[in-house]
Amino acid sequence: MTELLCHTDSYLKKFTAKVVSVNAETRSLFLDRTAFYPGGGGQLCDTGILKIDCIDYPVTRVKKTPDGIAHEIGEGRDLPSVGSEVTGEIDWDRRYKLMRTHTAMHILCGVVFRDYGAQVTGGDMEPLSGRMDFEFENLSKDLVGVIEEAVNKEVAAARDVRVKVLPREEAFQIPDLIRTKINLLPPGIPEVRTIEIVGLDLQADGGTHVANTREVGRMRITDYKSKGKINKRIYVELDDQVTEAAGS
Ligand SMILES: [Zn+2]
């Protein structure tokens, strides 16, 4: 199994590791540890580079497999041998945008649940944009404006974002986690990783997040759509750069 370094340090951009196995058919490398996020929970996988014996292998895709985390490398280079030393570097610009976007989505979930009691049913993200689906019967254009303002207020409130890994039994005692359908987790998982936006939101989550809501910057709700009588989809975008004026 691959040790997932980004689970405990989402700001780790560069790391060293060893090649533990190679799959020639899928052109995948398996390492003993990695900072590459393998995708999941609506967050895309990382891309970047693995340097092995002075050769740069571009990482085009990363995914979880039963054998560990597969780093797919492009065509055209000979595969390295098992035991090789690796220096990995993730595409930080892209990843940081995904971190900001992911935390923005949790702020949105937290605000919509706190103020309207509406539950999230799904979501998806790209760097700096995303969509979330809610069970939210009475959503209107005016209300969307109010929600946007409330989200930016939470950004400006500079709330800390904390990552914890809890024993399963302990996690199942927390009412906030039960609300976010923690009980859907497979029974074999002994630990639950949680993301807490202090004072606003707590979720079981595998993704990478910024350490403070102020890093998200200004969020805009660009559109919303009805996906049935109850279900509504909200579309959001973030600014490319974080400005100090966010939320003010
Ligand atoms: Zn999430």
Side-chain angles (χ1 to χ4, degrees):
M1 281 297 109
T2 319
E3 187 192 348
L4 197 51
L5 302 168
C6 59
H7 251 183
T8 44
D9 184 2
S10 62
Y11 288 82
L12 187 65
K13 304 166 185 79
K14 239 180 160 176
F15 64 99
T16 56
K18 260 196 178 81
V19 177
V20 294
S21 70
V22 174
N23 184 325
E25 206 174 304
T26 58
R27 293 190 61 80
S28 298
L29 306 185
F30 295 84
L31 312 177
D32 58 345
R33 51 196 221 136
T34 188
F36 282 81
Y37 182 65
Q43 184 182 332
L44 296 167
C45 72
D46 288 327
T47 57
I49 281 176
L50 296 178
K51 259 188 218 299
I52 304 163
D53 296 331
C54 301
I55 299 171
D56 282 358
Y57 294 88
V59 177
T60 53
R61 196 178 162 203
V62 184
K63 65 178 185 190
K64 263 188 195 147
T65 76
D67 304 321
I69 291 166
H71 301 70
E72 294 182 12
I73 54 173
E75 295 292 331
R77 288 181 178 85
D78 289 342
L79 291 163
S81 42
V82 170
S84 299
E85 303 278 344
V86 180
T87 305
E89 190 167 0
I90 62 172
D91 178 344
W92 177 250
D93 183 60
R94 180 173 174 281
R95 153 72 93 72
Y96 189 58
K97 286 173 179 168
L98 286 165
M99 282 164 55
R100 288 174 53 213
T101 310
H102 200 158
T103 303
M105 296 305 214
H106 283 216
I107 298 173
L108 178 63
C109 293
V111 163
V112 167
F113 184 76
R114 180 195 65 195
D115 297 350
Y116 308 98
Q119 298 266 22
V120 179
T121 58
D124 211 4
M125 283 165 262
E126 296 280 331
L128 302 181
S129 70
R131 61 173 174 79
M132 293 235 93
D133 296 334
F134 294 94
E135 289 174 346
F136 200 151
E137 194 166 358
N138 301 310
L139 189 65
S140 65
K141 192 164 191 279
D142 286 349
L143 205 48
V144 163
V146 173
I147 293 168
E148 183 184 274
E149 200 174 311
V151 167
N152 284 311
K153 214 168 154 183
E154 298 304 330
V155 171
R159 294 185 185 275
D160 283 335
V161 182
R162 290 183 190 150
V163 183
K164 272 187 200 153
V165 179
L166 303 174
R168 182 187 182 87
E169 292 314 310
E170 198 178 314
F172 272 72
Q173 304 301 313
I174 303 171
D176 279 351
L177 286 181
I178 293 159
R179 147 175 93 76
T180 54
K181 303 185 171 102
I182 190 179
N183 42 350
L184 297 179
L185 292 174
I189 293 178
E191 288 179 325
V192 178
R193 183 174 177 271
T194 63
I195 300 292
E196 180 183 18
I197 300 175
V198 176
L200 178 67
D201 186 67
L202 178 65
Q203 294 188 36
D205 191 274
T208 59
H209 288 262
V210 293
N212 189 286
T213 60
R214 82 166 90 79
E215 293 179 55
V216 168
R218 185 151 192 90
M219 193 207 75
R220 284 163 281 126
I221 297 181
T222 54
D223 200 5
Y224 74 100
K225 259 186 205 147
S226 214
K227 305 291 289 177
K229 183 167 153 49
I230 311 266
N231 290 304
K232 301 292 180 299
R233 179 166 290 176
I234 293 178
Y235 295 85
V236 309
E237 279 179 24
L238 302 187
D239 289 344
D240 197 32
Q241 302 293 331
V242 178
T243 56
E244 283 302 315
S248 63

